[in-house]
Amino acid sequence: QVQLVESGGGLVQAGGSLTLSCKASGSAFSVNVMGWYRQAPGKQRELVASITRFRNTNYADSVKGRFTITRDSAKDTVYLQMNILSPEDTAVYYCHALIGTMASMWHESDYWGQGTQVTVSS
């Protein structure tokens, strides 16, 4: 009943920046947590950053100091500002959210976006 749509991926040179966005849409829902995961070829999907409804944040050690996650509650949108990118950041980035809906009696469920490719060239 809720969809997550990502945008902002692309090709960037090492040292450059990109900003990803993810918007949740649907009817009568409440977002508890939104975040970003990534998966590189041959690697397991890993948490990059997350943010709660109270603006508490969590980052992977590999991105601390370079990436910033923010949330616009009025737009049900989460952003990931990525700075000083390196080839090691190349991956498919997936938006993720824990959301409750009125239709499900506010039972919290996992939602995933389709993923957006980020490629960092040397």
Side-chain angles (χ1 to χ4, degrees), residues 2-4 9 13 21 45 66 69-70 73 77-78 85 92-93 98 109 115:
V2 180
Q3 292 183 331
L4 303 179
Q13 293 184 350
S21 65
R45 185 175 299 188
R66 299 188 299 121
I69 188 168
T70 57
S73 297
T77 301
V78 65
L85 286 163
V92 177
Y93 285 70
L98 293 174
S109 298

Side-chain angles (χ1 to χ4, degrees), residues 61-89:
D61 288 340
S62 60
V63 307
K64 286 181 179 178
R66 299 188 299 121
F67 291 11
T68 302
I69 188 168
T70 57
R71 180 181 176 183
D72 186 337
S73 297
K75 297 181 179 179
D76 292 317
T77 301
V78 65
Y79 305 91
L80 184 67
Q81 183 179 348
M82 305 183 293
N83 299 321
I84 320 176
L85 286 163
S86 70
E88 288 71 37
D89 296 313

Side-chain angles (χ1 to χ4, degrees), residues 11 25 45 48 50 63 92 95 107:
L11 175 65
S25 62
R45 185 175 299 188
V48 178
S50 64
V63 307
V92 177
C95 182
H107 178 261

Side-chain angles (χ1 to χ4, degrees), residues 2 4 23-25 28-35 51-55 71 73 75-78 96-101 106 108-109 111:
V2 180
L4 303 179
K23 181 176 176 60
S25 62
F29 65 90
S30 179
V31 177
N32 294 321
V33 182
M34 294 189 76
I51 185 167
T52 72
R53 64 187 300 117
F54 304 109
R55 301 297 190 268
R71 180 181 176 183
S73 297
K75 297 181 179 179
D76 292 317
T77 301
V78 65
H96 170 263
L98 293 174
I99 297 174
T101 65
W106 304 109
E108 188 177 75
S109 298
Y111 291 86

